[in-house]
Amino acid sequence: MNSTARSPASTPRSRQRAGPGNRVAQPQGLALVELDPRQVVNGVVVAAGFKADDVAAVGKMRETCPYCGGLPLQLVLRHAHVIRSHLVCKTCTRCFDAVYPDGSSALTIPAGLSID
């Protein structure tokens, strides 16, 4: 499956201004931090933005896209070309991390924690 994401520098901001690294509050206590797609997926910059192969979302989350009127984000787990787990909006193709109030990611396993 081919996946094309717009790069943050080439995407117009028509709704909330949540550029890369900016937090957007979510009602359940998590904040969304928009990520540059090059930080989360191996791919190439193309005229339309960013293109990566073999990237698949595994399910809808309760977190919603701040740009697309409340559409649920989808979880992308580390696999093949994915560098780190993240949330993606299938409509606008923006990538996000969900962070707790202390700044730690809700999508990573804390150092020293075993999942055996």
Side-chain angles (χ1 to χ4, degrees), residues 3-87:
S3 175
T4 301
R6 293 181 218 155
S7 68
S10 67
T11 305
R13 305 288 187 222
S14 60
R15 296 197 177 148
Q16 295 181 16
R17 296 194 173 267
N22 291 343
R23 294 177 183 214
V24 178
Q26 290 288 301
Q28 59 277 13
L30 292 175
L32 293 178
V33 177
E34 187 174 353
L35 302 171
D36 184 321
R38 295 171 290 191
Q39 294 176 328
V40 295
V41 177
N42 289 323
V44 294
V45 177
V46 294
F50 189 77
K51 182 177 179 178
D53 294 328
D54 194 27
V55 176
V58 295
K60 292 182 180 177
M61 306 300 289
R62 64 180 172 195
E63 290 74 26
T64 58
C65 181
Y67 295 95
C68 294
L71 295 175
L73 295 173
Q74 294 191 344
L75 177 63
V76 178
L77 298 174
R78 287 186 64 194
H79 175 71
H81 299 287
V82 179
I83 299 166
R84 67 179 269 199
S85 298
H86 61 282
L87 302 174

Side-chain angles (χ1 to χ4, degrees), residues 78 85 104-116:
R78 287 186 64 194
S85 298
S104 62
S105 175
L107 303 175
T108 59
I109 298 170
L113 182 65
S114 176
I115 58 168
D116 295 328

